[in-house]
Amino acid sequence: AQRLPQKPRIVVLETPAGFEPNSDVVAAKIKTYLERRLQNYKPAIDVLPARHRDTPFSPDDPKIAAPILKADEILLGPGSPTYTVRQLRDSITYQMITARQRRGGMLFLSSSAPLSFSTYTLPVYEVYKVGQDLFWMDGLDFLSSYGLNITFISHWNNTDGGEELDTSRCYMGQDRFNLLRKMLPPDQTIVGIDENTSLIIDFAQSCCFVRGHDTVTILRDGGTLIYQTGNSFHMDKLGDWYIPDGHAGIPSQVWEKAIQAEEERQLELSAKPEPTAQVLDLLQAREEARQDKDWEKADLMREQVEKLGWQIKDTPQGSQLEPLDND
């Protein structure tokens, strides 16, 4: 949140849990949590019902996806990794996510979502719940445009199974995960992220930051690197990377809309708020009450102005209005 502008625009996508009849409830809980925990930042949060293709709530609907292009942060969280891949692959929603992130928006992936955006996606539900044979699904491969070949494994240190069942490595357990790893190409980088831990990839600084409770593990070129929370490391540890050229891999019309939306967003951030006619009328009524020495009425007008988001400052040049957020 400290990296976002004041009053950030955040969008929460229902897509990962879109197969559940209560996906709106899941996303709404995330929204409520963010509003409460980030209340000092005064975020504006939209929930996007990009649930399922070939429905009225399709990730291919540009109207549903449009708020992404002005978002300061795009959040995808719990659900099914493979379902997310099927719904987002080549969709207008995914194209807009890619364009907005390329233009400077923050992409926040939690729980199942990092698996979906990987080069290869771990089919957690299919293996752990249904009992299918071990396999990988081709993921959205989001970071390939940066030259990175990474498969993320969240819940790396999970212990839900207690002493009876190893549920680390995102519920696969170490033995099954070792078999899964052998099924990947030898040059595949694996990044394991412990629970309640985050890996912040900052392309501008060429640096990665580990935050939260525990560790991030990198398996690459036959070696293992483990970084504790509070530490940082150069992005080269993830592979040979580069900044993509312009809108490479993004349709031109989507890229143009992303640029236009970004310009509009910058104007919004720089624009000075103007008081409404109602606020100005209250200010005038207060001035008249002060001239009549009706201090009780004047105080009442001040309170009403504050309820509308403005404060009155009495100066030698007269009464002036300022937005409460600027105080």
Side-chain angles (χ1 to χ4, degrees):
Q2 293 173 349
R3 295 166 178 256
L4 298 174
Q6 184 71 5
K7 290 182 163 181
R9 283 192 173 189
I10 301 174
V11 297
V12 180
L13 271 71
E14 289 187 34
T15 313
F19 61 98
E20 297 284 9
N22 70 335
S23 63
D24 57 335
V25 176
V26 174
K29 288 182 177 180
I30 296 174
K31 176 182 177 180
T32 300
Y33 177 84
L34 292 175
E35 286 174 336
R36 183 175 68 251
R37 297 303 298 268
L38 303 181
Q39 57 184 298
N40 291 341
Y41 295 88
K42 298 180 174 60
I45 305 175
D46 290 320
V47 174
L48 307 189
R51 300 168 188 163
H52 194 290
R53 280 175 154 153
D54 301 320
T55 73
F57 302 102
S58 173
D60 292 313
D61 187 337
K63 291 183 180 179
I64 290 177
I68 292 170
L69 295 180
K70 283 190 178 181
D72 301 301
E73 180 174 280
I74 305 161
L75 191 152
L76 296 92
S80 166
T82 52
Y83 177 86
T84 304
V85 172
R86 293 197 304 272
Q87 300 307 315
L88 289 186
R89 192 187 303 280
D90 300 323
S91 68
I92 186 68
T93 292
Y94 184 72
Q95 292 168 358
M96 287 186 177
I97 290 172
T98 304
R100 183 65 194 110
Q101 188 275 335
R102 197 86 59 85
R103 298 295 305 176
M106 182 182 294
L107 182 58
F108 188 140
L109 304 176
S110 173
S111 190
S112 71
L115 281 68
S116 305
F117 280 66
S118 299
T119 305
Y120 297 97
T121 294
L122 182 66
V124 181
Y125 283 97
E126 292 84 344
V127 174
Y128 181 63
K129 295 290 187 180
V130 180
Q132 291 187 25
D133 291 340
L134 301 181
F135 72 102
W136 293 93
M137 173 187 277
D138 287 343
L140 295 171
D141 202 12
F142 183 80
L143 291 177
S144 62
S145 59
Y146 290 87
L148 293 172
N149 181 27
I150 297 176
T151 289
F152 292 99
I153 306 295
S154 52
H155 303 286
W156 184 255
N157 64 338
N158 181 272
T159 58
D160 287 355
E163 296 182 358
E164 297 179 354
L165 179 65
D166 181 7
T167 52
S168 66
R169 301 346 181 222
C170 200
Y171 297 92
M172 294 297 100
Q174 294 193 44
D175 291 341
R176 273 194 299 200
F177 186 77
N178 288 337
L179 295 174
L180 281 162
R181 187 181 178 189
K182 292 178 181 178
M183 299 167 65
L184 292 172
D187 62 345
Q188 181 64 42
T189 297
I190 295 173
V191 175
I193 304 176
D194 287 347
E195 295 185 336
N196 302 306
T197 305
S198 65
L199 173 64
I200 301 172
I201 302 176
D202 191 323
F203 296 97
Q205 297 188 51
S206 307
C207 192
C208 298
F209 304 88
V210 181
R211 299 292 183 265
H213 286 188
D214 292 300
T215 66
V216 167
T217 301
I218 300 175
L219 306 179
R220 179 171 176 247
D221 296 335
T224 301
L225 297 172
I226 299 177
Y227 294 95
Q228 301 286 335
T229 181
N231 290 340
S232 60
F233 57 90
H234 197 277
M235 275 188 58
D236 290 347
K237 299 297 183 182
L238 297 177
D240 297 327
W241 68 285
Y242 51 81
I243 298 294
D245 294 330
H247 68 283
I250 302 172
S252 297
Q253 62 271 25
V254 174
W255 186 250
E256 291 169 2
K257 289 181 180 178
I259 293 175
Q260 180 182 352
E262 181 185 359
E263 292 173 349
E264 293 173 357
R265 177 65 176 139
Q266 291 302 319
L267 287 175
E268 291 173 1
L269 291 171
S270 60
K272 183 178 179 180
E274 295 293 336
T276 64
Q278 183 181 5
V279 171
L280 293 174
D281 289 344
L282 288 168
L283 178 65
Q284 179 62 32
R286 178 178 180 269
E287 288 302 308
E288 294 173 359
R290 282 163 55 88
Q291 291 175 9
D292 296 337
K293 297 185 179 181
D294 188 346
W295 309 119
E296 183 176 350
K297 182 178 179 181
D299 289 342
L300 178 62
M301 296 298 101
R302 176 190 289 275
E303 291 174 4
Q304 292 185 19
V305 167
E306 289 179 350
K307 288 179 181 179
L308 293 173
W310 293 81
Q311 63 177 339
I312 300 173
K313 287 195 171 182
D314 296 315
T315 72
Q317 291 76 36
S319 298
Q320 297 180 357
L321 288 168
E322 289 187 5
L324 280 174
D325 292 339
N326 292 345
D327 186 40

